Amino acid sequence: MKILGIESSCDDTAAAVVEDGRKLLSSVVSSQEDIHAAFGGIVPEVACRKHIENILPVIEKSLRDSGMRLDEIDAVAVTARPGLIGALLIGVTAAKTLSWALDVPLIDVNHLHAHIYGAWMSDAYPQMPALSLVVSGGHTSLYVTKGPLQHRQIGSTVDDAAGEAFDKVSNILKLGFPGGPAIDRAAAGGNPKAVNFPRALLNSENNNFSFSGLKTAVLYHCLGQNASREAMEAANFDPAFVADVAACFQEAVVDVLVNKTCKAAQRSNAASVIVGGGVAANSLLRARLSEETKNMGLSLFMAPMSLCRDNAAMIAGLGFHLLKSGRRADMSLEAEPSA
Ligand code: KG4
Ligand code: ZN
């Protein structure tokens, strides 16, 4: 069964063709990073306009790369929630149109569940129950997972998402957008013990996260407690200072993520840990999680680097399981900003 997946929930326009939920025939992602970098973050209106320009060429390329004709596609799966409403609408409208014109099923996909599924597209199936961490620019959430379609959320961030903190701290350190990869690189040359940044909710019994205090602590450390926008703009940090702050910030985020994920896995008697989302590309997070889960006798499933950030392969992949379960959307399908 060949499924065309479409993803446009944030700033990436993506399309992919996946066979039987796992065999990647093509995966095309058109990133808007360079455009949003000028603003230091994603501008929703700009993202929507770009999706409109990109959506058809990206779908056409995904079909070309897969060697499929449109009439060989068995179903169309699309991210319908959560995300930027205007951005989601472009993908949903394209998917509805294709489903109607080709007379094939339309499947609405939850983007966060698809991030979890991304971790088991290229590996053996994880043993269930699993503890899943979705860690991205918009979300930081924990789930107890019992199958590709069975996820019970048990915790989430109470303020900023981890990726959002990476992006904001990168902005303070003038490392550019997106912040995650820039901080990951800068941290490699820093001393992770130079500053002891706060690790919010580390020892709390619940499964929630908080990253906004950490971002403020970095701001105060770099520019003092009365930091103004002007001071932020005028700042000119020494590269060694930047590397140390990046390393210590990353250390604090990873400490919290690994600790809370592993504790939650233990509490829910999970056999495996699944990690997906853009921040799952972080080198320290990957290394620490593999060390910690090994110590605890848990198997770890992390999305391969190409499937960490937003993509449509995970949408088409999960779409296959939804289709098999009998799920169908119709022309009344609407984009929804929340999950
Ligand atoms: O999953 P994603 O592409 O989009 C959302 O659904 O949000 O995640 C994007 C986020 C951004 O905040 C970006 O800075 C972060 O993932 N990211 C990273 C790394 N690569 C991307 N964060 C930390 N380390 C990385 N290597
Ligand atoms: Zn995402």
Side-chain angles (χ1 to χ4, degrees):
M1 181 136 319
K2 294 170 201 80
I3 299 193
L4 171 68
I6 298 177
E7 154 66 39
S8 69
S9 65
C10 193
D11 63 331
D12 291 307
T13 323
V17 181
V18 175
E19 189 171 357
D20 296 340
R22 276 162 82 92
K23 191 172 172 202
L24 234 85
L25 301 181
S26 68
S27 179
V28 179
V29 181
S30 168
S31 165
Q32 303 178 9
E33 261 166 32
D34 294 349
I35 298 156
H36 298 285
F39 302 98
I42 295 160
V43 184
E45 177 65 22
V46 174
C48 300
R49 285 169 192 270
K50 271 286 148 196
H51 283 311
I52 293 174
E53 282 173 30
N54 292 343
I55 193 89
L56 293 181
V58 163
I59 292 172
E60 276 163 4
K61 179 158 170 44
S62 78
L63 287 166
R64 253 196 331 273
D65 289 0
S66 71
M68 292 292 137
R69 294 187 317 268
L70 254 185
D71 62 7
E72 291 174 296
I73 295 297
D74 298 302
V76 182
V78 63
T79 302
R81 72 192 76 79
L84 301 171
I85 182 70
L88 286 166
L89 259 175
I90 315 295
V92 167
T93 306
K96 275 178 168 178
T97 311
L98 280 171
S99 150
W100 176 75
L102 300 171
D103 195 21
V104 295
L106 173 68
I107 309 149
D108 58 311
V109 178
N110 178 313
H111 180 86
L112 302 176
H113 298 172
H115 268 309
I116 298 174
Y117 186 71
W120 75 60
M121 279 188 76
S122 59
D123 217 328
Y125 280 113
Q127 272 174 283
M128 297 292 143
L131 194 286
S132 303
L133 168 70
V134 175
V135 66
S136 69
H139 298 87
T140 304
S141 304
L142 288 171
Y143 301 81
V144 173
T145 294
K146 293 194 170 158
L149 306 180
Q150 289 167 275
H151 310 286
R152 180 169 58 86
Q153 190 175 320
I154 57 165
S156 68
T157 180
V158 296
D159 41 53
D160 291 353
E164 192 179 350
F166 269 96
D167 294 334
K168 287 176 175 168
V169 165
S170 178
N171 205 15
I172 297 168
L173 295 175
K174 304 190 165 220
L175 288 171
F177 178 85
I183 289 194
D184 204 340
R185 276 192 302 275
N191 170 11
K193 293 203 161 63
V195 198
N196 189 17
F197 286 127
R199 280 123 167 99
L201 303 182
L202 181 63
N203 296 313
S204 75
E205 280 305 303
N206 65 39
N207 298 307
N208 291 335
F209 301 93
S210 164
F211 294 106
S212 82
L214 171 59
K215 166 202 68 192
T216 309
V218 172
L219 178 70
Y220 288 174
H221 179 77
C222 294
L223 293 160
Q225 299 221 358
N226 297 318
S228 61
R229 177 149 294 281
E230 293 72 39
M232 234 175 112
E233 276 163 18
N236 186 11
F237 302 117
D238 177 61
F241 173 83
V242 170
D244 282 354
V245 173
C248 297
F249 160 77
Q250 181 173 268
E251 193 77 20
V253 176
V254 168
D255 252 6
V256 176
L257 289 174
V258 172
N259 225 286
K260 298 210 74 162
T261 301
C262 289
K263 265 195 217 152
Q266 212 159 29
R267 274 200 292 264
S268 47
N269 290 321
S272 16
V273 169
I274 300 175
V275 189
V279 183
N282 185 265
S283 58
L284 185 67
L285 180 63
R286 295 182 88 86
R288 281 285 167 76
L289 270 171
S290 64
E291 201 179 291
E292 209 49 48
T293 47
K294 198 167 159 201
N295 291 341
M296 292 174 66
L298 294 161
S299 27
L300 176 66
F301 294 81
M302 296 199 82
M305 297 297 266
S306 58
L307 297 183
C308 283
R309 56 175 300 174
D310 288 349
N311 66 85
M314 64 184 191
I315 307 299
L318 187 57
F320 170 72
H321 293 272
L322 287 162
L323 186 70
K324 263 199 334 187
S325 77
R327 177 129 181 162
R328 300 285 184 282
D330 60 27
M331 291 303 127
S332 66
L333 176 65
E334 292 195 33
E336 294 170 71
S338 52

